[in-house]
Amino acid sequence: MLDRARNLGALGIQLQWLEGDAAKAEDSFFKINQKATPIGETEIRLLKARKTPNGIAARAIMRSGSGHKYWSDFSQEKQDEVEKLAQEIHKLIFEPKLKNPIKTLDVPIVGNLPPSEKLELILEFVNLVNNIQEDKGLGEDLIGEKTIQLLKNCVKLARRINSNDPSSLGLHPIVYFYTNLGKPKIGSFYGVVSLILHLERNKYFSKFTEVRKDFEWVIWQDDMIPEIVRKSKALEAHEKVKQFYLEIINKLLNGVDKKNIIKEIVAEKKFGTLKTKIKANTSDSQGKKFSGETKTAAFIRDALPKVPRCKICGGYLHSHSISIDHIQRRADGGNATVDNAQLTHPYCNTTFKN
């Protein structure tokens, strides 16, 4: 041990002299450390934005409020709140864990992703919900108030997508975020987030609810999202996907038959050259043993038509987001009997109906 200590004491330490400020020194540090082992693009972004509220929020959500505490400088009260909010967001978006082949419709909003892709999705989700254009645009958060506000905004939107919160639209994950083969659609996730933000700003939820049943029929029968996002990254295409969804909603509101919606959109070429496709088929027709993909496709094909529908809007119901509604209102003398009960989305029951 003594010999090792002497050897260490004899080693020279290499230093690099750099002229400039702290920002230039930081950039140089990243360049040097990437020569041995490259660091992922998102990881670099978060390292540079490690003290920003969106950077801290993304780290907290990634680990469901556990792991290394990038928020440890905050007061204990604020640390607890960060962890509580992050846990809820992670649960709403990524749980239950997706198992393949799919044998249940109780799937997460976002399926299994490699850690680097999951981290990127979370950071972009935080930025998108909070309208953050640059990672370091909000500056540093030294006390936690900005981080907590960003997380609260993310919780609100995640609840709106699918939860038992009274505001929840209860969007069925299979219909909105997966292909008929059970593959997650990240472009659809970003598009739905953008759509909900638009509906919120323009007080348009009631209009969406009016045509929701036919809207879901259109997006499930003709899955055009892969074509819309194919020439760009999923995040970069979120505005196109949002506009595509709004085009469907507005055409339905204007009385266009649901079976003609995609034909009209393709003909108008507002979203470039799109081609209507028959739903993707699996590639194992030559073999005698079913692949996991085929098993998933068969399950979704047979299970989805049996899903209960909201008695108010006619949209698909999901087990995580069901409300029991009085057919005859309590205010009008309706009793809490089975005959006077109906299954609805939380939003349809608490807001749209009223």
Side-chain angles (χ1 to χ4, degrees):
M1 182 67 74
L2 184 60
D3 290 340
R4 289 181 180 178
R6 287 171 178 164
N7 290 336
L8 287 173
L11 292 175
I13 299 176
Q14 292 184 346
L15 298 175
Q16 180 185 33
W17 181 262
L18 182 72
E19 294 185 359
D21 57 13
K24 191 169 183 179
E26 185 180 74
D27 287 339
S28 178
F29 170 81
F30 287 129
K31 289 177 182 177
I32 292 171
N33 280 275
Q34 283 204 85
K35 289 181 179 179
T37 304
I39 305 173
E41 181 182 342
T42 305
E43 188 64 38
I44 291 176
R45 288 171 61 191
L46 281 171
L47 285 170
K48 291 182 177 181
R50 59 192 174 276
K51 292 185 178 181
T52 64
N54 44 325
I56 297 170
R59 293 284 196 190
I61 297 170
M62 179 69 180
R63 292 296 191 90
S64 190
S66 61
H68 180 77
K69 292 190 175 185
Y70 292 86
W71 50 94
S72 60
D73 289 341
F74 303 163
S75 69
Q76 188 59 53
E77 181 181 358
K78 286 187 168 59
Q79 287 185 49
D80 292 342
E81 189 167 4
V82 166
E83 290 164 16
K84 181 180 178 181
L85 291 167
Q87 287 170 10
E88 181 176 357
I89 296 166
H90 189 278
K91 182 177 181 180
L92 288 171
I93 296 177
F94 298 105
E95 297 179 19
K97 186 175 177 61
L98 183 66
K99 295 180 180 180
N100 287 305
I102 293 175
K103 296 181 180 179
T104 174
L105 295 181
D106 186 14
V107 297
I109 290 172
V110 175
N112 302 335
L113 295 175
S116 59
E117 293 181 23
K118 181 178 178 180
L119 187 58
E120 179 183 16
L121 180 138
I122 292 171
L123 178 58
E124 301 301 3
F125 171 69
V126 172
N127 286 348
L128 190 57
V129 171
N130 293 283
N131 195 28
I132 299 171
Q133 306 300 321
E134 298 180 5
D135 291 337
K136 300 174 76 172
L138 297 181
E140 296 184 354
D141 185 10
L142 302 179
I143 60 176
E145 289 183 0
K146 293 179 182 178
T147 300
I148 288 171
Q149 186 56 56
L150 298 191
L151 288 169
K152 284 181 176 179
N153 294 340
C154 290
V155 165
K156 180 181 177 183
L157 193 135
R159 287 175 179 171
R160 177 74 84 172
I161 294 174
N162 187 298
S163 72
N164 273 320
D165 188 81
S167 69
S168 181
L169 299 172
L171 305 183
H172 199 294
I174 286 289
V175 176
Y176 285 83
F177 306 115
Y178 291 80
T179 69
N180 66 307
L181 302 180
K183 295 180 179 179
K185 298 188 298 183
I186 303 306
S188 293
F189 172 74
Y190 289 129
V192 167
V193 169
S194 296
L195 176 66
I196 290 177
L197 291 170
H198 177 90
L199 298 177
E200 186 91 52
R201 286 193 299 268
N202 294 278
K203 303 186 187 312
Y204 215 62
F205 284 118
S206 61
K207 293 296 183 182
F208 166 70
T209 304
E210 287 178 24
V211 298
R212 175 169 174 172
K213 181 180 179 180
D214 287 344
F215 175 84
E216 292 181 350
W217 185 92
V218 172
I219 65 171
W220 183 251
Q221 291 298 317
D222 296 286
D223 185 10
M224 307 299 291
I225 303 305
E227 278 206 72
I228 292 174
V229 305
R230 73 181 184 277
K231 292 184 178 179
S232 56
K233 290 184 178 180
L235 174 68
E236 294 170 353
H238 76 88
E239 186 67 21
K240 287 183 180 178
V241 176
K242 181 196 78 175
Q243 291 299 333
F244 176 72
Y245 286 152
L246 286 173
E247 191 72 15
I248 297 172
I249 293 169
N250 290 328
K251 284 184 179 295
L252 289 169
L253 288 169
N254 289 328
V256 178
D257 187 279
K258 64 182 181 182
K259 295 179 180 178
N260 296 326
I261 297 289
I262 297 301
K263 292 178 183 177
E264 288 196 7
I265 291 176
V266 170
E268 291 165 354
K269 296 185 177 181
K270 290 182 180 179
F271 302 93
T273 303
L274 300 176
K275 296 180 181 179
T276 55
K277 293 182 179 180
I278 298 173
K279 276 191 175 292
N281 204 346
T282 52
S283 58
D284 63 342
S285 58
Q286 301 299 318
K288 294 183 178 181
K289 187 176 180 180
F290 292 124
S291 67
E293 191 175 78
T294 299
K295 291 177 181 178
T296 291
F299 174 80
I300 293 174
R301 178 199 65 198
D302 291 350
L304 191 59
K306 299 174 184 176
V307 171
R309 289 180 174 272
C310 175
K311 296 299 182 182
I312 294 176
C313 77
Y316 288 103
L317 288 171
H318 186 249
S319 59
H320 293 185
S321 192
I322 294 177
S323 180
I324 310 298
D325 174 46
H326 286 73
I327 298 172
Q328 182 183 17
R329 302 169 190 269
R330 284 182 290 178
D332 297 331
N335 295 319
T337 63
V338 172
D339 290 341
N340 195 43
Q342 62 181 359
L343 303 183
T344 69
H345 299 116
Y347 169 81
C348 293
N349 182 8
T350 62
T351 306
F352 182 76
K353 181 178 177 179
N354 297 323

